[in-house]
């Protein structure tokens, strides 16, 4: 596991996208919600990277992705996922 840490607006998501590009195979970025997934996807398209469209936290939890070809998941803003999982605690 690798953790990218920085303050808000410090380039964490950009580094996460770069990390996804470096990895071999099919690697999915997981975002907290549809709005963030769209924002990350727009960045991927803008840079013309060959990465799959990010999925949402809900899609991840519900298993709504094709699992047999996935090499890894890259979690954007993992702290928000933990807050949501713990219902804000």
């Amino acid at each position: 596991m690798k953790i990218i840490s920085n303050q808000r607006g410090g380039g964490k998501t950009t580094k996460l996208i770069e990390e996804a590009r470096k990895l071999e195979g099919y690697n999915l970025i997981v975002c907290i919600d549809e709005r963030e997934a769209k924002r990350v996807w727009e960045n991927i398209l803008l840079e013309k990277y060959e990465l799959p469209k990010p999925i949402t936290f809900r899609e991840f939890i519900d298993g709504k992705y094709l699992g047999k070809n996935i090499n890894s998941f890259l979690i954007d803003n993992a702290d928000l996922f933990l807050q949501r999982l713990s219902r804000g605690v």
Side-chain angles (χ1 to χ4, degrees):
M1 177 176 13
K2 187 174 191 178
I3 298 173
I4 300 169
S5 180
N6 207 339
Q7 75 258 8
R8 183 170 171 79
K12 296 183 301 291
T13 300
T14 300
K15 289 178 185 172
L16 185 80
I17 292 170
E18 287 295 323
E19 194 65 33
R21 277 189 59 228
K22 292 177 191 175
L23 295 171
E24 298 277 332
Y26 193 77
N27 304 287
L28 271 178
I29 294 175
V30 183
C31 300
I32 194 69
D33 57 27
E34 189 63 43
R35 185 184 60 128
E36 283 300 302
K38 182 180 179 197
R39 183 181 69 81
V40 171
W41 182 235
E42 288 171 355
N43 287 338
I44 291 168
L45 293 175
L46 182 68
E47 296 296 331
K48 297 181 178 155
Y49 294 148
E50 291 188 29
L51 291 171
K53 186 174 182 181
I55 64 172
T56 65
F57 175 68
R58 179 54 43 205
E59 291 168 320
F60 177 72
I61 294 297
D62 291 345
K64 294 184 178 178
Y65 51 84
L66 298 174
K68 66 180 180 179
N69 295 324
I70 297 172
N71 292 351
S72 66
F73 293 101
L74 293 95
I75 310 296
D76 191 31
N77 294 312
D79 56 331
L80 298 177
F81 286 97
L82 294 173
Q83 285 176 356
R84 188 165 287 179
L85 282 173
S86 65
R87 294 177 169 73
V89 176

